[in-house]
Amino acid sequence: MACDLELGRKEPCKDVVGGITSLYFINYTSGLLTSATFDADEQITAFASALTLYEYDVKGANGLEEANENSRENGTSFWTQTITAQLKKLSKEYRKELKLMAYGRPQVIVKDYNGNYLMCGIENGVEVSVNPQTGAAMGDLSGYVLSGVGTEKTPAYFVDPSIINDTTNTTVVVGTNS
């Protein structure tokens, strides 16, 4: 049967941390899942054509969570990928970009503090909600709170770090800090 287990797992060392450092947004690309190349561990090792990744650096309370939902009655299983991020500082330039992000359904590569790259929304894209905030007190956030939700048949795929900004598979566009 295709869903039989193949591995056990011992308690790992405590050598990792939580949180994400960067988000790489990709304008929705149809067929990305079927055209990507995977290794034996189902890690993405190449894309059929070069993708443009729009990098957003984040720091602080940002993360990725995946929830698996199953229905014995319906025979279904799927994964909900939820990205949360805070972008500091409101600006007219990013207002326009974030509006376009909310109107689209980008695919998103998330980089965590452990150097892992994870592809969210590879098949269906990620629905991004953008919530500008000015805060009430001097120390409150003046910026944007992003919430992205992807619903996929599988958990997020790992992406080989060597193909990020290698110009054959991906080109990274770095923005400004305004």
Side-chain angles (χ1 to χ4, degrees), residues 27-79:
N27 288 321
Y28 182 78
T29 303
S30 180
L32 193 56
L33 174 63
T34 56
S35 65
T37 303
F38 295 86
D39 66 14
D41 293 322
E42 297 185 339
Q43 173 181 245
I44 297 170
T45 57
F47 294 109
S49 58
L51 299 174
T52 301
L53 280 56
Y54 297 92
E55 182 180 29
Y56 283 66
D57 290 332
V58 294
K59 193 170 183 105
N62 306 287
L64 166 64
E65 291 186 25
E66 292 187 275
N68 178 226
E69 300 178 45
N70 298 296
S71 171
R72 170 69 57 202
E73 296 78 22
N74 298 328
T76 58
S77 181
F78 63 94
W79 300 79

Side-chain angles (χ1 to χ4, degrees), residues 19-130:
I20 62 177
T21 63
S22 303
L23 298 169
Y24 298 88
F25 291 92
I26 304 161
N27 288 321
Y28 182 78
T29 303
S30 180
L32 193 56
L33 174 63
T34 56
S35 65
T37 303
F38 295 86
D39 66 14
D41 293 322
E42 297 185 339
Q43 173 181 245
I44 297 170
T45 57
F47 294 109
S49 58
L51 299 174
T52 301
L53 280 56
Y54 297 92
E55 182 180 29
Y56 283 66
D57 290 332
V58 294
K59 193 170 183 105
N62 306 287
L64 166 64
E65 291 186 25
E66 292 187 275
N68 178 226
E69 300 178 45
N70 298 296
S71 171
R72 170 69 57 202
E73 296 78 22
N74 298 328
T76 58
S77 181
F78 63 94
W79 300 79
T80 301
Q81 305 161 343
T82 304
I83 301 165
T84 54
Q86 289 185 359
L87 304 177
K88 298 168 202 73
K89 201 172 191 180
L90 297 171
S91 77
K92 60 184 176 260
E93 295 83 13
Y94 282 99
R95 176 203 165 275
K96 180 181 174 186
E97 283 299 302
L98 295 173
K99 177 184 73 170
L100 294 173
M101 188 183 298
Y103 288 172
R105 58 178 171 131
Q107 283 120 335
V108 184
I109 296 175
V110 175
K111 180 183 178 192
D112 72 12
Y113 275 104
N114 304 300
N116 296 311
Y117 290 81
L118 298 156
M119 170 69 83
C120 296
I122 190 168
E123 197 168 13
N124 301 312
V126 173
E127 299 297 329
V128 179
S129 297
V130 179

